[in-house]
């Protein structure tokens, strides 16, 4: 199964951090990552109960470290886009769908959970491979942080062993950078650049590219760039200004 880390981004309340450690251990997970958390003391330890080891071994790092070190990043959000014309929070998937998507990954997966007061911001969502939302009642849609973690833990528990290695985050960022450069080469309108790159990240992010597949995309673009650099147009493999003798 993939190695799954549950990442709390700037959690505000130590009790929620403790409860998160507890529910993670309930389902067999122990990789807790904290990004700029609130001070943790007795309340966090009390809420963790018999999962104090998960709490005490929690890694503290920057969000940049999370994106760089994990092969696949799932961002959770309670607010989703209503139209495909605003792709920042689209398309989105439920926890059970996320399970199916990450099941065959033989690598590291990070599940991001945002701040209790306003969640994850758009820039944090843009860098993620996949958007996950938990279907809740419109009357009261916002879940407690540890409850949301518990639902994802339940769905992701006991996943089968993965079968292939994904392209690393470094390889994917290199691919996105190449695509961005390619858009410049083909005079893609600047006013559409941000939306286009967001859509490309969404499409490629959820496809779980292997390193070979990412390399193939690079190769295709390099081939196109080579033809753009060689201005001479060709017809059926011959230069446009070459006389072709069709006589027998």
């Amino acid at each position: 199964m993939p190695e799954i880390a549950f990442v709390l981004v700037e959690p505000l309340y130590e009790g929620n951090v403790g409860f998160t450690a507890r529910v993670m251990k309930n389902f067999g997970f122990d990789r807790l990552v904290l990004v700029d958390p609130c001070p943790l003391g007795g309340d966090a330890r009390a809420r963790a109960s018999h999962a104090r080891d998960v709490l005490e071994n929690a890694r503290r790092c920057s969000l940049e470290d999370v994106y760089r070190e994990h092969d696949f990043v799932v961002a959770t959000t309670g607010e989703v886009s209503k139209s495909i014309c605003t792709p920042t929070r689209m398309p989105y998937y439920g926890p059970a769908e996320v399970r199916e998507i990450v099941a065959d990954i033989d690598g590291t997966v990070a599940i991001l959970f945002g701040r209790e007061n306003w969640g994850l911001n758009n820039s944090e969502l843009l860098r993620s491979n996949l958007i996950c939302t938990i279907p809740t009642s419109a009357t009261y849609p916002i879940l407690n942080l540890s409850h949301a973690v518990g639902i994802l833990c339940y769905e992701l528990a006991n996943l089968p062993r993965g079968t292939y290695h994904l392209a690393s985050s470094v390889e994917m960022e290199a691919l996105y950078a190449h695509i961005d450069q390619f858009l410049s080469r083909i005079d893609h309108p600047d006013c559409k650049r941000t939306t286009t790159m967001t859509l490309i990240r969404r499409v490629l992010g959820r496809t779980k590219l292997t390193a070979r597949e990412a390399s193939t995309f690079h190769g295709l673009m390099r081939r196109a760039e080579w033809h753009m650099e060689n201005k001479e147009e060709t017809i059926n493999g011959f230069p446009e200004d070459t006389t072709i003798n069709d006589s027998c």
Side-chain angles (χ1 to χ4, degrees):
M1 63 184 293
E3 295 182 21
I4 298 176
F6 291 86
V7 182
L8 305 187
V9 179
E10 299 180 6
L12 301 175
Y13 308 111
E14 62 172 310
N16 281 338
V17 179
F19 276 134
T20 293
R22 178 173 179 168
V23 76
M24 285 175 58
K25 191 165 185 177
N26 286 150
F27 291 99
F29 296 102
D30 58 10
R31 297 186 65 200
L32 175 60
V33 178
L34 304 175
V35 176
D36 194 18
C38 59
L40 302 180
D43 191 32
R45 291 190 294 272
R47 305 300 181 186
S49 188
H50 295 293
R52 290 188 183 182
D53 56 325
V54 176
L55 179 65
E56 292 169 358
N57 293 326
R59 184 188 173 201
R60 299 185 184 224
C61 66
S62 68
L63 195 53
E64 186 64 33
D65 291 331
V66 173
Y67 289 120
R68 184 179 65 254
E69 297 172 6
H70 291 81
D71 299 313
F72 198 82
V73 178
V74 178
T76 62
T77 178
E79 180 182 348
V80 295
S81 297
K82 304 302 181 184
S83 167
I84 59 174
C85 294
T86 52
T88 303
R89 298 171 186 266
M90 285 275 290
Y92 50 85
Y93 299 85
E97 293 173 301
V98 171
R99 173 190 171 90
E100 295 303 315
I101 291 170
V102 306
D104 56 0
I105 294 175
D106 191 7
T108 55
V109 175
I111 314 293
L112 304 187
F113 296 85
R115 308 148 187 89
E116 290 96 328
N117 54 352
W118 51 279
L120 297 170
N121 61 41
N122 286 343
S123 64
E124 292 161 349
L125 291 170
L126 284 173
R127 296 190 61 186
S128 302
N129 298 91
L130 199 71
I131 302 297
C132 174
T133 191
I134 298 171
T136 53
S137 169
T139 305
Y140 190 27
I142 304 303
L143 290 164
N144 173 272
L145 174 60
S146 64
H147 294 175
V149 174
I151 291 171
L152 266 296
C153 285
Y154 169 79
E155 290 292 351
L156 296 172
N158 301 313
L159 283 172
R161 171 65 58 182
T163 57
Y164 61 85
H165 290 281
L166 293 180
S168 69
S169 60
V170 173
E171 290 169 322
M172 289 304 298
E173 287 303 321
L175 177 58
Y176 295 139
H178 193 173
I179 293 172
D180 193 51
Q181 294 168 6
F182 187 79
L183 292 178
S184 296
R185 294 291 301 275
I186 63 174
D187 297 323
H188 188 74
D190 290 339
C191 61
K192 296 182 178 180
R193 180 68 63 86
T194 299
T195 297
T196 298
M197 285 305 303
T198 298
L199 289 169
I200 288 171
R201 281 178 172 270
R202 285 285 171 265
V203 172
L204 296 184
R206 67 176 181 267
T207 58
K208 303 178 293 182
L209 294 181
T210 65
R212 174 64 183 277
E213 290 167 338
S215 177
T216 297
F217 275 107
H218 280 297
L220 289 172
M221 287 186 289
R222 291 192 188 102
R223 186 65 176 169
E225 289 163 346
W226 183 88
H227 282 286
M228 287 188 286
E229 290 169 2
N230 291 267
K231 302 293 185 180
E232 194 174 44
E233 296 291 336
T234 60
I235 301 176
N236 295 327
F238 294 89
E240 187 177 30
D241 58 354
T242 299
T243 300
I244 302 175
N245 187 353
D246 289 328
S247 61
C248 294

